[in-house]
């Protein structure tokens, strides 16, 4: 059964919350989804005549999915925040457009109480759209 109360797991809120569901998760990683719609704020300027999800949003979407799944597993103290620190080996392979549902497959490479290293792939159907590795620092907002 998919988990959909993502706001209970992340501090992000609309219009910057990019995870709809966590489909599955375990200590190795997770699978999450996000449906992009014409209502998403960035389509008004990227690009009005041919809207495309910006690549940085796809990376953020994968990182949010990975962080939400770790929060669901209670890997960190309550109220912890994830701060994106590095992004590596990013490749954009296919455009994501309004109406597309992106499936993110995230792998946990390293997880400590202060840091998370993950890698992910974003698909629409079976088409690979983006892939990246990232590190998030974990801490409090003060």
């Amino acid at each position: 059964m998919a988990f959909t109360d993502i706001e209970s797991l992340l501090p992000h809120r609309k219009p910057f919350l990019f995870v709809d569901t966590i489909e599955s998760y375990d200590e190795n990683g997770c699978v999450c989804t996000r449906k992009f719609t014409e209502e998403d704020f960035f389509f008004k300027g990227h690009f009005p005549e041919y809207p495309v999800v910006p690549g940085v949003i796809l990376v953020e979407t994968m990182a949010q999915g990975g962080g939400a799944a770790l929060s669901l597993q209670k890997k960190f103290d309550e109220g912890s925040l994830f701060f994106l620190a590095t992004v590596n080996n990013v490749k954009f392979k296919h455009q994501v457009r309004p109406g597309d549902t992106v499936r993110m497959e995230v792998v946990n490479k390293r997880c400590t109480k202060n840091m998370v290293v993950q890698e992910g792939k974003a698909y629409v159907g079976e088409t690979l759209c983006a892939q990246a590795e990232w590190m998030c620092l974990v801490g409090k907002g003060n």
Side-chain angles (χ1 to χ4, degrees), residues 104-117:
M104 299 154 286
E105 297 179 359
V106 177
V107 174
N108 299 328
K109 295 180 76 175
R110 186 167 178 218
C111 184
T112 70
K113 69 176 193 154
N114 298 317
M115 183 234 352
V116 175
V117 178

Side-chain angles (χ1 to χ4, degrees), residues 50 52-53 55 58 91-97 100 102 122-124 127-131:
Y50 188 81
V52 176
V53 176
L58 291 175
K91 294 180 183 172
F92 302 109
K93 305 270 191 180
H94 194 269
Q95 297 171 350
V96 177
R97 311 267 339 267
D100 286 343
V102 174
Y123 296 88
V124 172
T127 302
L128 176 63
C129 298
Q131 62 190 61

Side-chain angles (χ1 to χ4, degrees), residues 19 30 32 61-71 82 106 108 116 118 134:
V19 180
C30 65
C32 305
T61 300
M62 290 186 285
Q64 284 185 19
L70 291 172
S71 291
F82 300 82
V106 177
N108 299 328
V116 175
Q118 296 175 311
W134 60 90

Side-chain angles (χ1 to χ4, degrees), residues 25-42:
Y25 63 92
D26 62 23
E27 63 190 32
N28 299 312
C30 65
V31 176
C32 305
T33 63
R34 170 56 151 84
K35 181 172 184 173
F36 290 96
T37 71
E38 291 180 3
E39 302 305 313
D40 285 307
F41 71 93
F42 43 80

